[in-house]
Amino acid sequence: MNKIEKINLTAAIILSGICSCAPKPNAVPKNEYGLPVVERNGTYRQIIKADSTHRMVPLSSLLHPVNTAFFYATADNFTHQVLYHHPQPYLRLEAANALKKVQDSLHTIGLDLKIFDSYRPYSVTRKMWEIVPDDRYAANPANGSGHNRGVAVDLTLIDSKTGRELNMPTAFDSFSDTSHQDFMNLPEAIIQNRRLLKKVMEQYGFIALDTEWWHFYLPNPKRYELLDLSFKQLRRAVK
């Protein structure tokens, strides 16, 4: 081995050592369904270090104002149980930036968003399924949810000045045909409100769920890992 070859080999070893430190998403532990689930802040930080586009963003840093009504933090939801505590709205960077564009667009016509749910820990999806094991109403933990991946959001429209919600086909989490995007036996004003929400969300990259007028998500959600970080953990992780 000549001198140049030794130098090249040494450089390769050094670079290999550096690269081996870079965390890889496929190193995330998998659960019984074979799904990678992030349960520790350290694992989350490693993923973000490897790919900053996976970063979770507090919506309060982008949406002004940020309006919320977290029904799952109360017993006033379809499970009749408190499912999580001290929530804050978080989404992945791409979804958060897209939602900011939605809010900014709506604000020019005197409207804002009100968020019912955004990021939701995977353990909450498990709990929902235990209570209501019906994939018409809850995500099967064998697949996980876009909420667990930080790319889905449940929301409605409100008047910017009064804060009052615009009339929509149903209340949040009202599981019936009336909540479907194509249900038309409604007053024209309500159809127009639903149509406006869907139009502006789709304009900035979200996909509407056919059976829930309030639910929107980014395409290809499985490119992101499932997260099972509590809101307390997440607040610490994103500092």
Side-chain angles (χ1 to χ4, degrees):
M1 181 180 293
N2 60 37
K3 186 176 181 180
I4 293 176
E5 289 174 330
K6 288 181 179 180
I7 293 172
N8 289 340
L9 177 60
T10 302
I13 292 171
I14 293 172
L15 287 173
S16 175
I18 293 172
C19 293
S20 65
C21 296
K24 300 175 179 60
N26 60 13
V28 177
K30 294 183 179 180
N31 66 5
E32 70 270 30
Y33 302 114
L35 301 173
V37 181
V38 176
E39 298 178 332
R40 298 177 181 275
N41 282 3
T43 307
Y44 166 80
R45 291 191 182 104
Q46 288 179 340
I47 291 169
I48 302 312
K49 186 176 180 180
D51 186 347
S52 63
T53 66
H54 284 230
R55 182 163 58 93
M56 293 288 284
V57 176
L59 296 182
S60 57
S61 68
L62 294 178
L63 273 59
H64 306 291
V66 57
N67 304 286
T68 59
F70 286 106
F71 288 94
Y72 298 138
T74 75
D76 184 20
N77 61 70
F78 75 100
T79 70
H80 307 294
Q81 296 187 23
V82 176
L83 297 172
Y84 49 54
H85 299 277
H86 312 299
Q88 286 182 254
Y90 288 91
L91 288 174
R92 299 280 186 176
L93 179 63
E94 179 186 2
N97 285 335
L99 201 65
K100 181 184 187 308
K101 293 176 182 177
V102 172
Q103 171 98 326
D104 290 347
S105 176
L106 288 167
H107 202 69
T108 63
I109 57 173
L111 299 174
D112 284 315
L113 298 170
K114 177 184 277 189
I115 297 167
F116 299 135
D117 198 32
S118 47
Y119 164 70
R120 173 194 309 163
Y122 179 69
S123 57
V124 175
T125 290
R126 285 185 180 274
K127 190 181 296 184
M128 286 178 169
W129 189 253
E130 290 172 0
I131 299 167
V132 183
D134 187 333
D135 57 14
R136 293 176 300 171
Y137 308 130
N140 189 329
N143 302 314
S145 165
H147 288 287
N148 310 146
R149 293 181 166 91
V151 295
V153 61
D154 299 331
L155 41 64
T156 192
L157 299 173
I158 63 172
D159 183 283
S160 298
K161 291 183 179 179
T162 66
R164 293 182 62 180
E165 294 181 17
L166 272 60
N167 291 328
M168 289 293 182
T170 68
F172 171 61
D173 267 2
S174 177
F175 301 114
S176 66
D177 290 347
T178 312
S179 66
H180 293 194
Q181 291 283 358
D182 61 358
F183 187 83
M184 301 302 292
N185 188 21
L186 295 163
E188 183 61 26
I190 290 178
I191 292 174
Q192 291 300 325
N193 290 341
R194 181 186 65 194
R195 186 173 293 156
L196 173 61
L197 176 60
K198 183 173 184 283
K199 178 181 178 181
V200 71
M201 291 295 287
E202 290 182 338
Q203 181 180 348
Y204 292 103
F206 289 94
I207 298 172
L209 185 64
D210 291 340
T211 56
E212 298 176 359
W213 63 260
W214 57 84
H215 181 101
F216 298 86
Y217 61 97
L218 288 186
N220 304 315
K222 290 186 178 180
R223 57 203 159 109
Y224 294 104
E225 306 79 21
L226 293 163
L227 300 180
D228 197 12
L229 302 174
S230 69
F231 289 101
K232 182 178 181 180
Q233 283 179 292
L234 202 51
R235 280 191 286 273
R236 291 175 176 172
V238 301
K239 285 182 179 179

